[in-house]
Amino acid sequence: MKIDFTQVKQNIQSMVHSLSEYNISHRPHVKPHKNVELAKLQIESGAIGITCATLTELEVMAKGGIENILLAMPLVGEDQWNRLLDILRHYNFTFITLVDSEIGLKGLSQIGEKLNQPINVLVDIDSGGHREGIQREETVEFVKKVISNKWLHFKGLFTYYGHIYAYPINQHPEKAKEEATILLEQKQKLEAEGITVEILSGGSTVSSIYPNELSGITESRAGNFIFYDMNAVHLGIADISQCALRIVAKIISIPIKGKATIDAGSKAMTTDQPIKGNEYGYVVNNPELMIVKLNEEHGFVEYDPEKVDVKIGDIVEIIPNHACVVPNLYNQVFLFEDNRLVRSINVDARGRNYY
């Protein structure tokens, strides 16, 4: 897997700068790259910390020296609570997580008591996608329960407006505004009760392209932007030149004219579908080639032999439909600048997709 490191740095700087113009801090999700070095680069470029998706991912980042981490997943059950307790005992970093249930409150409170230190929490609000979170009418009552618990420290509100991806491009600014409004309205209700709300955490890559519409939230967790992908291109939030991640494959067979096979299949690219069309990625160095099917180790390519000459041994570079899931398939990735190999880096949290 090949990464345009120059473009990665530009993508990072662009996101941090555009958000900062509206007083929005950046706390990027690291699940797209799962790499400590890139996480540190994001912080050096202005991010206030990072967001992790799982406990095991968090452990890798804490061990790597990241000092401020949000775990964006509700923890439920003694196994997860004990794992978190062990991590917090072994590594020194600022930790914050989210909660949306009585069970979650109980578990985090137990951890705080054992550490003799309150756990920083954000209350998760369901913004309409119904993935997780309390309903908006429950906010005040639920936050009061958090505040009444001596082993929890209420820091603010959290939401994930992931269903923005389902809306047409021309509605994205409106939906980004709606995301911010949900958090701001809940904050206003809490402040009317005399409750201080320090953090309003939201922002996907799509909504963060419109930071003016997100104005009022305190941090964005946009993550996909670091690489972008064909779905970002189809959504109109990036162009091909901004897509920094490429899967490098080779034409290994041409059974008949117009049909070829590459040595990269679902285990190299995943079977994530595009928002537009039916192809499994975009062959950036030869757009006439269409990847129409994947087996585990093989990709099926179709092309017009009257328009393009394809030979066994040809190298193809593929922008995936969804970049966030691809690094997790590789032990290491290769950084390029000016099309020259700089070095390789490990995918530190590869496979850390569990608790």
Side-chain angles (χ1 to χ4, degrees), residues 248-253 261-264 311-316 318:
V248 181
K250 184 184 295 182
I251 302 289
I252 57 168
S253 182
T261 305
I262 58 174
D263 58 355
K311 297 183 178 66
I312 292 176
D314 285 353
I315 299 297
V316 294
I318 305 157

Side-chain angles (χ1 to χ4, degrees), residues 108-279:
L108 293 175
S109 175
Q110 290 174 356
I111 295 171
E113 185 173 8
K114 290 175 181 178
L115 292 172
N116 196 32
Q117 179 178 334
I119 301 297
N120 296 319
V121 298
L122 301 175
V123 170
D124 190 354
I125 308 294
D126 180 4
S127 55
H130 309 315
R131 188 177 78 172
E132 62 200 23
I134 63 170
Q135 297 308 300
R136 283 167 252 179
E137 61 270 20
E138 302 170 349
T139 300
V140 173
E141 180 183 352
F142 192 83
V143 169
K144 285 181 177 179
K145 290 179 181 179
V146 176
I147 293 172
S148 67
N149 191 311
K150 66 179 290 188
W151 299 115
L152 300 176
H153 183 198
F154 174 68
K155 298 287 285 184
L157 304 174
F158 171 108
T159 198
Y160 177 59
Y161 200 100
H163 47 297
I164 191 171
Y165 288 87
Y167 289 95
I169 296 170
N170 63 353
Q171 292 185 30
H172 288 167
E174 169 194 341
K175 296 303 174 181
K177 181 71 172 178
E178 183 175 314
E179 177 182 359
T181 299
I182 289 168
L183 289 171
L184 289 165
E185 287 180 346
Q186 299 310 301
K187 177 185 178 182
Q188 190 174 44
K189 289 197 304 186
L190 291 169
E191 288 179 337
E193 297 282 335
I195 299 170
T196 299
V197 181
E198 179 185 338
I199 297 172
L200 295 180
S201 180
S204 62
T205 290
V206 173
S207 63
S208 296
I209 297 300
Y210 309 99
N212 57 312
E213 304 294 351
L214 288 177
S215 183
I217 73 169
T218 65
E219 65 178 40
S220 163
R221 304 185 310 275
N224 172 269
F225 76 95
I226 192 170
F227 297 138
Y228 288 117
D229 49 33
M230 286 312 298
N231 280 342
V233 173
H234 295 319
L235 284 168
I237 63 173
D239 57 44
I240 294 295
S241 67
Q242 292 174 282
C243 295
L245 184 150
R246 313 286 172 86
I247 298 154
V248 181
K250 184 184 295 182
I251 302 289
I252 57 168
S253 182
I254 304 177
I256 61 174
K257 286 184 178 182
K259 295 184 183 292
T261 305
I262 58 174
D263 58 355
S266 62
K267 290 180 178 177
M269 294 188 285
T270 83
T271 55
D272 279 27
Q273 295 293 307
I275 290 174
K276 293 181 180 179
N278 300 301
E279 297 174 40

Side-chain angles (χ1 to χ4, degrees), residues 8-9 15 21-22 27 35 39 73 118 138 174 203 207 233 252-253 262 267 274 301 313 354:
V8 160
K9 289 184 280 190
M15 181 61 74
E21 288 189 325
Y22 293 88
R27 184 189 288 276
N35 176 264
M73 183 74 78
E138 302 170 349
E174 169 194 341
S207 63
V233 173
I252 57 168
S253 182
I262 58 174
K267 290 180 178 177
V301 176
Y354 55 92

